[in-house]
Amino acid sequence: MTLFVLFAPALTHAGERALVIATDSKELQWGPCPAFIPKGCEIAILQGDPAKNNLDIFFKVPGDFEIPHHLHTSQERMVLVSGTLDVKYDNQPMATIKTGEYAYGPARLPHTAYCHKGADCILYIGFVAPLDAMPVKAAE
């Protein structure tokens, strides 16, 4: 019985595959972002199903790129892998995220972003809820 208790957690994840993948891996399949984000934006699914909870992606935009005002149903847990990214959440001060830094974005909080000139911004994002991004119109 003691052995079962010790190894039971390992048995529950026996079907999952461990994963290590680089941003320049040939295994990554980069696809387009939602239509409201200008051309040049790409997303690669790292693990999970975009229609289900607990999804990990790489989000990539070129340097000198504006990401329009939008929101997500899910929280975003992020680490900037390359570049420098300014993020402005509504009613909060702008934050500059540098390579290697972690950022957290609350669910349903509208925001914009800007990738500084130079290197592409590649952002790891972990979503809790299914993947979505909805444009937010400016107040008139």
Side-chain angles (χ1 to χ4, degrees):
M1 182 67 162
T2 302
L3 286 177
F4 177 76
V5 172
L6 290 175
F7 293 105
L11 295 175
T12 61
H13 297 289
E16 286 190 85
R17 187 178 133 243
L19 175 67
V20 175
I21 193 161
T23 58
D24 62 354
S25 172
K26 302 286 186 228
E27 290 181 47
L28 285 180
Q29 295 180 11
W30 292 95
C33 292
F36 73 90
I37 299 176
K39 186 175 176 147
C41 177
E42 296 179 282
I43 296 174
I45 305 299
L46 298 171
Q47 76 78 36
D49 179 337
K52 296 181 179 178
N53 291 343
N54 300 315
L55 172 73
D56 296 321
I57 69 168
F58 278 145
F59 174 88
K60 177 170 67 171
V61 296
D64 194 25
F65 191 91
E66 298 267 349
I67 300 163
H69 203 212
H70 67 285
L71 61 82
H72 307 277
T73 303
S74 179
Q75 306 88 320
E76 295 179 282
R77 294 183 173 105
M78 302 168 276
V79 175
L80 190 63
V81 178
S82 70
T84 303
L85 186 70
D86 292 336
V87 180
K88 172 70 174 88
Y89 285 90
D90 287 7
N91 304 312
Q92 296 186 21
M94 194 226 9
T96 298
I97 308 168
K98 296 179 181 152
T99 298
E101 292 184 332
Y102 170 84
Y104 173 79
R108 300 187 184 277
L109 185 59
H111 54 285
T112 60
Y114 171 73
C115 180
H116 290 215
K117 290 181 181 180
D120 290 350
C121 287
I122 300 177
L123 191 63
Y124 158 80
I125 306 173
F127 288 96
V128 176
L131 176 61
D132 63 11
M134 296 155 289
V136 175
K137 294 187 183 199
E140 296 182 24

